[in-house]
Amino acid sequence: MGVAGTDQPAVAVTEHRFAGARALVTGGASGIGLATAEILAREGASVVIVDRNAHRASSEATRIDAIPVVADLADPDRVTGAVAEASAGLGQPPTLLAHCAGIYEITALDVLEAAAWDRTLTINLRAAMLVGRALRAALGTGQPASFVFVSSMAARTADRHEPAAHYAAAKAGLLGLVRQMAVEWGPSTRVNAVSPGVIETPMLRLTDDPLAARRYLDARVPLGRLGTAGDVARTIAFLLSDAAAYITGADVPVDGGATIT
């Protein structure tokens, strides 16, 4: 690939922060979602991974001893059904949510079609609202819970070279949604976000051109490397854990400093 991130193992276990916890991870069969599911499972949680790819969900769930649920979160009925299946599989509703599902499509604004706009907003924003609301309803208002949603540095920065106005709008909207969830659902439910920068996952396109990637890292990323799924997953796990018990409505950038340059 030409440019790679250096990373500690995403599943390194130093403690059992989540012993006895029940967790739901959307987009849990690849990338950031899978790395998060691995940490939660290895540190004691019972985990359900939700993904629209049935084969991948099944194989990864088997590997990490999780429960697979197949669902396309663009379908509101399947969102409700996925939360119900997760609750049944775990015996009770999950109290931890890592919402990592999303899509990324590059299209210049001048030629961006309404259907593509709607698809991205549906999956990257509406699904987050539906998943959070369905899980909150399943838990009831008094059950302590912690939710983390994956936004993006695109919520705060624009990009001429990889134009994706629909993605940026959805991720910016997600930050507003997280703040509103935190206000409406506290004190029992903590709701936070992480905003990854350029992360080495299957959705990354920058590394299609290794020289361009190197130039970007040198010019824009103070830490000088790509982020990894594990970098983001460890931050999600922190926010889900009791170590973050007095944090809600926050957005934590995981971008190597890209948004400060």
Side-chain angles (χ1 to χ4, degrees):
M1 185 175 294
V3 178
T6 58
D7 189 30
Q8 303 169 26
V11 296
V13 180
T14 57
E15 54 187 325
H16 282 76
R17 290 175 290 178
F18 303 107
R22 303 179 303 277
L24 175 64
V25 182
T26 69
S30 65
I32 292 168
L34 178 57
T36 301
E38 288 175 334
I39 291 176
L40 294 171
R42 297 295 182 94
E43 294 199 25
S46 298
V47 178
V48 171
I49 60 174
V50 176
D51 203 276
R52 62 183 178 179
N53 186 311
H55 173 73
R56 196 164 58 199
S58 177
S59 62
E60 294 295 357
T62 298
R63 183 177 64 82
I64 67 172
D65 194 23
I67 299 168
V69 170
V70 179
D72 182 349
L73 300 181
D75 180 347
D77 292 335
R78 282 303 297 136
V79 171
T80 304
V83 170
E85 287 179 45
S87 301
L90 295 170
Q92 297 181 68
T95 59
L96 304 178
L97 168 66
H99 182 71
C100 308
I103 60 172
Y104 178 57
E105 298 174 345
I106 301 169
T107 309
L109 188 56
D110 286 342
V111 295
L112 178 61
E113 296 183 353
W117 174 276
D118 290 346
R119 180 172 62 251
T120 294
L121 270 288
T122 293
I123 296 171
N124 289 2
L125 182 55
R126 189 183 73 178
M129 181 273 292
L130 292 174
V131 170
R133 192 171 65 179
L135 184 50
R136 167 79 171 175
L139 285 166
T141 58
Q143 175 70 53
S146 180
F147 299 172
V148 176
F149 295 84
V150 177
S151 182
S152 169
M153 66 179 286
R156 302 182 184 278
T157 61
D159 192 331
R160 179 181 296 111
H161 302 291
E162 287 191 10
H166 44 345
Y167 180 81
K171 293 300 187 178
L174 183 56
L175 295 183
L177 175 64
V178 162
R179 289 189 291 268
Q180 192 64 31
M181 285 176 169
V183 169
E184 292 194 28
W185 294 349
S188 62
T189 303
R190 295 190 300 108
V191 187
N192 292 292
V194 295
S195 286
V198 181
I199 306 298
E200 195 170 17
T201 71
M203 288 204 305
L204 180 63
R205 300 306 306 277
L206 177 65
T207 50
D208 290 350
D209 183 343
L211 291 179
R214 185 69 264 167
R215 288 193 298 270
Y216 174 85
L217 294 172
D218 290 342
R220 290 287 309 280
V221 182
L223 292 187
R225 67 170 176 87
L226 294 174
T228 68
D231 288 325
V232 184
R234 285 187 290 274
T235 307
I236 293 171
F238 163 72
L239 289 171
L240 289 173
S241 77
D242 289 342
Y246 202 54
I247 300 174
T248 196
D251 171 39
V252 180
V254 189
D255 60 10
T259 51
I260 63 173
T261 59

PDB file of all heavy atoms in Angstrom, residues 239-252:
ATOM      1  N   LEU A 239     -14.885   5.390  26.046  1.00  0.00           N
ATOM      2  CA  LEU A 239     -16.116   6.147  26.240  1.00  0.00           C
ATOM      3  C   LEU A 239     -17.256   5.264  26.735  1.00  0.00           C
ATOM      4  O   LEU A 239     -18.126   5.718  27.483  1.00  0.00           O
ATOM      5  CB  LEU A 239     -16.512   6.849  24.941  1.00  0.00           C
ATOM      6  CG  LEU A 239     -15.620   8.016  24.524  1.00  0.00           C
ATOM      7  CD1 LEU A 239     -15.966   8.483  23.117  1.00  0.00           C
ATOM      8  CD2 LEU A 239     -15.735   9.180  25.505  1.00  0.00           C
ATOM      9  N   LEU A 240     -17.269   4.014  26.327  1.00  0.00           N
ATOM     10  CA  LEU A 240     -18.293   3.088  26.801  1.00  0.00           C
ATOM     11  C   LEU A 240     -18.067   2.670  28.251  1.00  0.00           C
ATOM     12  O   LEU A 240     -19.005   2.291  28.943  1.00  0.00           O
ATOM     13  CB  LEU A 240     -18.321   1.826  25.924  1.00  0.00           C
ATOM     14  CG  LEU A 240     -18.868   1.985  24.503  1.00  0.00           C
ATOM     15  CD1 LEU A 240     -18.671   0.692  23.724  1.00  0.00           C
ATOM     16  CD2 LEU A 240     -20.339   2.385  24.512  1.00  0.00           C
ATOM     17  N   SER A 241     -16.843   2.746  28.703  1.00  0.00           N
ATOM     18  CA  SER A 241     -16.481   2.197  30.005  1.00  0.00           C
ATOM     19  C   SER A 241     -16.803   3.150  31.149  1.00  0.00           C
ATOM     20  O   SER A 241     -17.065   4.342  30.954  1.00  0.00           O
ATOM     21  CB  SER A 241     -14.980   1.878  30.029  1.00  0.00           C
ATOM     22  OG  SER A 241     -14.211   3.063  30.183  1.00  0.00           O
ATOM     23  N   ASP A 242     -16.722   2.626  32.361  1.00  0.00           N
ATOM     24  CA  ASP A 242     -16.960   3.435  33.558  1.00  0.00           C
ATOM     25  C   ASP A 242     -15.894   4.494  33.758  1.00  0.00           C
ATOM     26  O   ASP A 242     -16.107   5.450  34.510  1.00  0.00           O
ATOM     27  CB  ASP A 242     -17.024   2.535  34.789  1.00  0.00           C
ATOM     28  CG  ASP A 242     -18.285   1.680  34.821  1.00  0.00           C
ATOM     29  OD1 ASP A 242     -19.245   2.011  34.115  1.00  0.00           O
ATOM     30  OD2 ASP A 242     -18.293   0.667  35.557  1.00  0.00           O
ATOM     31  N   ALA A 243     -14.744   4.341  33.098  1.00  0.00           N
ATOM     32  CA  ALA A 243     -13.704   5.368  33.198  1.00  0.00           C
ATOM     33  C   ALA A 243     -14.169   6.699  32.627  1.00  0.00           C
ATOM     34  O   ALA A 243     -13.622   7.752  32.968  1.00  0.00           O
ATOM     35  CB  ALA A 243     -12.441   4.902  32.484  1.00  0.00           C
ATOM     36  N   ALA A 244     -15.193   6.658  31.766  1.00  0.00           N
ATOM     37  CA  ALA A 244     -15.749   7.877  31.164  1.00  0.00           C
ATOM     38  C   ALA A 244     -17.105   8.232  31.768  1.00  0.00           C
ATOM     39  O   ALA A 244     -17.938   8.862  31.122  1.00  0.00           O
ATOM     40  CB  ALA A 244     -15.884   7.696  29.653  1.00  0.00           C
ATOM     41  N   ALA A 245     -17.304   7.874  33.025  1.00  0.00           N
ATOM     42  CA  ALA A 245     -18.623   7.984  33.651  1.00  0.00           C
ATOM     43  C   ALA A 245     -19.160   9.406  33.726  1.00  0.00           C
ATOM     44  O   ALA A 245     -20.369   9.598  33.870  1.00  0.00           O
ATOM     45  CB  ALA A 245     -18.586   7.370  35.053  1.00  0.00           C
ATOM     46  N   TYR A 246     -18.289  10.422  33.643  1.00  0.00           N
ATOM     47  CA  TYR A 246     -18.769  11.803  33.709  1.00  0.00           C
ATOM     48  C   TYR A 246     -18.600  12.526  32.370  1.00  0.00           C
ATOM     49  O   TYR A 246     -18.490  13.739  32.302  1.00  0.00           O
ATOM     50  CB  TYR A 246     -18.036  12.563  34.823  1.00  0.00           C
ATOM     51  CG  TYR A 246     -18.795  13.775  35.332  1.00  0.00           C
ATOM     52  CD1 TYR A 246     -20.100  13.659  35.790  1.00  0.00           C
ATOM     53  CD2 TYR A 246     -18.202  15.039  35.330  1.00  0.00           C
ATOM     54  CE1 TYR A 246     -20.787  14.766  36.249  1.00  0.00           C
ATOM     55  CE2 TYR A 246     -18.890  16.158  35.793  1.00  0.00           C
ATOM     56  CZ  TYR A 246     -20.180  16.010  36.248  1.00  0.00           C
ATOM     57  OH  TYR A 246     -20.873  17.109  36.701  1.00  0.00           O
ATOM     58  N   ILE A 247     -18.611  11.744  31.297  1.00  0.00           N
ATOM     59  CA  ILE A 247     -18.508  12.311  29.950  1.00  0.00           C
ATOM     60  C   ILE A 247     -19.776  11.969  29.184  1.00  0.00           C
ATOM     61  O   ILE A 247     -20.126  10.796  29.032  1.00  0.00           O
ATOM     62  CB  ILE A 247     -17.293  11.758  29.189  1.00  0.00           C
ATOM     63  CG1 ILE A 247     -15.990  12.076  29.930  1.00  0.00           C
ATOM     64  CG2 ILE A 247     -17.246  12.333  27.771  1.00  0.00           C
ATOM     65  CD1 ILE A 247     -14.772  11.434  29.308  1.00  0.00           C
ATOM     66  N   THR A 248     -20.465  12.981  28.698  1.00  0.00           N
ATOM     67  CA  THR A 248     -21.613  12.761  27.813  1.00  0.00           C
ATOM     68  C   THR A 248     -21.769  13.957  26.891  1.00  0.00           C
ATOM     69  O   THR A 248     -21.399  15.088  27.242  1.00  0.00           O
ATOM     70  CB  THR A 248     -22.903  12.494  28.611  1.00  0.00           C
ATOM     71  OG1 THR A 248     -23.902  11.929  27.742  1.00  0.00           O
ATOM     72  CG2 THR A 248     -23.461  13.756  29.242  1.00  0.00           C
ATOM     73  N   GLY A 249     -22.278  13.704  25.703  1.00  0.00           N
ATOM     74  CA  GLY A 249     -22.453  14.756  24.707  1.00  0.00           C
ATOM     75  C   GLY A 249     -21.155  15.204  24.066  1.00  0.00           C
ATOM     76  O   GLY A 249     -21.124  16.216  23.368  1.00  0.00           O
ATOM     77  N   ALA A 250     -20.085  14.442  24.260  1.00  0.00           N
ATOM     78  CA  ALA A 250     -18.766  14.835  23.754  1.00  0.00           C
ATOM     79  C   ALA A 250     -18.485  14.224  22.385  1.00  0.00           C
ATOM     80  O   ALA A 250     -19.064  13.202  22.005  1.00  0.00           O
ATOM     81  CB  ALA A 250     -17.685  14.404  24.736  1.00  0.00           C
ATOM     82  N   ASP A 251     -17.575  14.866  21.672  1.00  0.00           N
ATOM     83  CA  ASP A 251     -17.054  14.344  20.415  1.00  0.00           C
ATOM     84  C   ASP A 251     -15.541  14.283  20.539  1.00  0.00           C
ATOM     85  O   ASP A 251     -14.899  15.306  20.743  1.00  0.00           O
ATOM     86  CB  ASP A 251     -17.463  15.236  19.241  1.00  0.00           C
ATOM     87  CG  ASP A 251     -16.753  14.847  17.954  1.00  0.00           C
ATOM     88  OD1 ASP A 251     -16.591  13.637  17.712  1.00  0.00           O
ATOM     89  OD2 ASP A 251     -16.363  15.752  17.187  1.00  0.00           O
ATOM     90  N   VAL A 252     -14.978  13.090  20.461  1.00  0.00           N
ATOM     91  CA  VAL A 252     -13.532  12.912  20.615  1.00  0.00           C
ATOM     92  C   VAL A 252     -12.907  12.696  19.238  1.00  0.00           C
ATOM     93  O   VAL A 252     -13.195  11.691  18.571  1.00  0.00           O
ATOM     94  CB  VAL A 252     -13.221  11.725  21.536  1.00  0.00           C
ATOM     95  CG1 VAL A 252     -11.700  11.556  21.673  1.00  0.00           C
ATOM     96  CG2 VAL A 252     -13.863  11.914  22.899  1.00  0.00           C
TER      97      VAL A 252
END
